[in-house]
């Protein structure tokens, strides 16, 4: 099916967020199209894996939107490069708001799909955003849990010191999400598969985008460390839930988080698909595992949207 892409902007707490709206063939002539909000990973943007899934789902007949988080990419917001969980969750609600203004979208058939940290944010948003009728995650990760591993207290102490410095006039500390190169990773003694493949995805032509510059406002990580994407899922997450993970495990822990979410979610209709032989980043863009994921998501959204 032919897909038409439109660059759009929508409101989010006084900011304009930049999105790509994907329209299936003849979608605007119909009046009751199902729609899906696609949420990108931490450090990512609308032009990468979330956009890939958005396009593939549009080919199946869904109106889809992928967008840059507030303060990141082509979206508005100062200070730049912050990762703010509350804002990320609100961005999803605002994307739903936007979809409800389109006269060819059925407001009762809106779903969400999140990749990596976007999966955790999608789950968190759906708990209180009842207009979301079906929740899908691909290698969904609880970004708070990821960042609490290691020495979070030491990190928080450092954030406090940096805020004091910046309050007194020091420059904003902009750090990196991942090492800038494989050589830098090797020098740091990091061997984990997720970090290795993240560098390959984000810093090479494979997935590189100017809207995903590997920049992170260091002090914003305090909010991330205190965030639990799955808090209250046993009480509030009742929508149908499809979880997709790969069985090749790495430091980001999406395999572990996927199973935890499956076990805890209150959803009566829930399923977890483990893609054999697939790593976290294989499910970002590699044709075979992505094809398996899309096929599963197609049947899921067809049943529940």
């Amino acid at each position: 099916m032919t897909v038409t892409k439109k660059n759009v902007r929508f409101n989010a707490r006084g900011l304009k967020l930049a999105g790509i709206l994907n329209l299936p063939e003849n979608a605007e002539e119909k009046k009751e199209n199902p729609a899906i909000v696609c949420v990108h990973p931490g450090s990512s943007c609308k032009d990468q894996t979330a956009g890939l899934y958005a396009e593939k789902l549009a080919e199946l007949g869904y109106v889809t939107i992928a967008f840059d988080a507030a303060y990141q990419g082509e979206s508005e917001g100062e200070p730049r490069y912050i990762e703010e969980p509350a804002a990320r969750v609100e961005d999803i609600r605002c994307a739903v708001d936007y979809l409800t203004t389109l006269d060819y979208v059925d407001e009762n058939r809106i779903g969400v799909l999140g990749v990596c940290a976007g999966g955790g944010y999608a789950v968190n948003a759906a708990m209180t955003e009842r207009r979301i009728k079906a929740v899908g995650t691909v290698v969904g990760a609880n970004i708070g849990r990821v960042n609490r591993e290691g020495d979070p207290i030491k990190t928080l102490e450092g954030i406090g010191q940096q805020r004091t410095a910046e309050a007194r006039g020091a420059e904003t500390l902009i750090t990196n999400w991942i090492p800038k190169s494989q050589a830098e990773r090797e020098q740091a003694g990091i061997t984990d598969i997720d970090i290795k493949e993240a560098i390959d995805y984000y810093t090479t032509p494979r997935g590189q985008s100017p809207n995903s510059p590997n920049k992170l406002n260091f002090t914003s990580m305090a909010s991330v460390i205190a965030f639990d994407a799955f808090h209250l899922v046993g009480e509030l997450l009742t929508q149908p839930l499809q979880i997709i993970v790969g069985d090749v495990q790495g430091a980001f822990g999406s395999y572990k988080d996927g199973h935890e979410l499956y076990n805890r979610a209150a959803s009566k209709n829930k399923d977890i698909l483990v893609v054999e032989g697939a790593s976290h980043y294989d499910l970002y863009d590699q044709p075979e595992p992505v094809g398996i994921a899309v096929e599963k998501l197609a049947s899921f959204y067809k049943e529940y949207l």
Side-chain angles (χ1 to χ4, degrees):
M1 181 182 292
T2 304
V3 173
T4 301
K5 291 178 174 292
K6 291 187 175 182
N7 292 318
V8 299
R9 290 188 173 268
F10 61 92
N11 294 315
R13 305 166 312 282
L15 302 175
K16 291 286 189 182
L17 302 193
I20 300 173
L21 186 68
N22 297 274
L23 299 177
E25 198 170 347
N26 302 319
E28 292 175 281
E29 298 171 14
K30 303 175 184 177
K31 293 299 178 186
E32 295 184 348
N33 292 283
I36 300 171
V37 176
C38 297
V39 189
H40 68 68
S43 86
S44 189
C45 66
K46 65 185 180 308
D47 313 286
Q48 295 171 326
T49 182
L52 174 65
Y53 278 94
E55 183 174 355
K56 289 185 176 298
L57 290 170
E59 290 171 357
L60 298 174
Y62 298 92
V63 172
T64 63
I65 186 168
F67 59 92
D68 290 340
Y71 313 101
Q72 301 173 23
E74 293 180 312
S75 291
E76 291 181 346
E78 297 287 344
R80 300 305 293 169
Y81 312 125
I82 69 170
E83 181 74 8
E84 176 51 63
R88 289 279 253 136
V89 170
E90 183 64 15
D91 289 347
I92 297 168
R93 296 192 188 103
C94 293
V96 174
D97 289 343
Y98 172 72
L99 290 175
T100 66
T101 69
L102 304 177
D103 60 10
Y104 46 85
V105 167
D106 185 341
E107 66 183 65
N108 296 309
R109 298 171 69 198
I110 295 175
V112 68
L113 174 68
V115 183
C116 190
Y121 291 132
V123 164
N124 197 268
M127 285 192 278
T128 53
E129 180 48 83
R130 308 311 296 185
R131 293 175 297 176
I132 293 174
K133 305 303 183 185
V135 181
T137 68
V138 174
V139 295
N142 184 345
I143 192 172
R145 191 270 311 152
V146 174
N147 283 278
R148 284 189 294 274
E149 295 181 350
D151 192 344
I153 300 302
K154 181 180 179 181
T155 302
L156 290 167
E157 294 282 2
I159 289 170
Q161 293 167 7
Q162 183 61 30
R163 286 186 67 108
T164 296
E166 291 178 15
R168 293 172 177 168
E171 286 189 13
T172 300
L173 177 57
I174 304 298
T175 185
N176 303 115
W177 285 87
I178 56 173
K180 298 176 183 177
S181 66
Q182 299 294 359
E184 185 177 297
R185 173 189 61 78
E186 291 170 4
Q187 189 173 8
I190 299 170
T191 59
D192 177 74
I193 186 172
D194 284 354
I195 302 296
K196 185 176 182 180
E197 292 190 357
I199 296 166
D200 185 55
Y201 180 80
Y202 284 113
T203 71
T204 75
R206 173 181 168 189
Q208 203 168 32
S209 169
N211 293 321
S212 172
N214 191 24
K215 293 182 179 181
L216 174 64
N217 186 315
F218 175 65
T219 62
S220 73
M221 293 308 290
S223 296
V224 174
I225 288 171
F227 176 68
D228 179 3
F230 300 159
H231 181 54
L232 299 179
V233 291
E235 298 173 51
L236 299 180
L237 186 66
T238 61
Q239 296 98 320
L241 173 65
Q242 178 64 61
I243 300 163
I244 299 173
V245 296
D247 70 351
V248 179
Q249 300 183 50
F252 295 161
S254 56
Y255 180 91
K256 177 172 64 177
D257 282 346
H259 284 83
E260 179 187 346
L261 176 60
Y262 177 80
N263 290 329
R264 289 177 53 192
S267 309
K268 292 180 180 178
N269 298 304
K270 57 184 176 180
D271 179 72
I272 184 166
L273 171 66
V274 179
V275 182
E276 294 184 6
S279 68
H280 188 93
Y281 282 91
D282 285 340
L283 280 156
Y284 272 43
D285 68 341
Q286 295 304 292
E288 186 176 348
V290 168
I292 293 170
V294 170
E295 184 178 2
K296 188 68 172 178
L297 292 167
S299 61
F300 169 71
Y301 290 121
K302 183 177 181 180
E303 182 171 0
Y304 294 112
L305 287 185

